[in-house]
């Protein structure tokens, strides 16, 4: 059974950094396109980054481009999201999700992804 588990969230001061992990079990992560989403209280789930399964091409939403970096470690079957220069508005629950067919073309849309992790909380506050 395909399973994703996020970790690495926590409380960090503005300007700080975190690295989130998305560990896969039950499937080879490299065969899937992996997206990162976040959801703040009272807001819709927002697609922020994606890495595709063919070339490892990466995609970012405007709100995080230049500050966040997505990467994949095939040996560990894990995708990472490095969060730098964090702002209070980055506070949210962060989720990773897997898709087989869209190759990140719709990475901002949750409906393009089939399998989801449980999420990890990121809080940016002084």
């Amino acid at each position: 059974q395909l399973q994703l588990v996020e970790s690495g969230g926590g409380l960090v001061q503005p300007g700080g950094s975190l690295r989130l992990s998305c560990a896969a079990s039950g499937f080879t992560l490299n065969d899937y396109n992996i997206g990162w989403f976040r959801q703040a209280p009272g807001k819709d789930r927002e697609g922020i980054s994606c890495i595709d399964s063919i070339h490892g091409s990466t995609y970012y939403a405007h709100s995080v481009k230049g500050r966040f970096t997505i990467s994949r470690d095939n040996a560990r079957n894990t995708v990472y999201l490095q969060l730098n220069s964090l702002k209070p508005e980055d506070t949210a629950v962060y989720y990773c999700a897997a898709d087989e067919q869209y190759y990140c073309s719709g990475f901002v849309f949750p409906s393009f992804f089939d399998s989801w992790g449980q999420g990890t909380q990121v809080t940016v506050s002084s």
Side-chain angles (χ1 to χ4, degrees), residues 37-87:
F37 291 77
R38 66 185 181 185
Q39 188 165 20
K43 294 190 175 182
D44 292 337
R45 193 165 293 191
E46 174 191 15
I48 57 173
S49 187
C50 190
I51 185 165
D52 76 23
S53 60
I54 301 178
H55 302 298
S57 298
T58 58
Y59 304 83
Y60 300 94
H62 178 73
S63 57
V64 305
K65 195 169 186 177
R67 299 188 299 123
F68 293 5
T69 303
I70 191 170
S71 62
R72 187 171 62 206
D73 186 335
N74 294 333
R76 288 182 165 81
N77 215 27
T78 299
V79 167
Y80 301 100
L81 188 68
Q82 178 69 40
L83 285 57
N84 295 331
S85 302
L86 282 162
K87 306 174 182 179

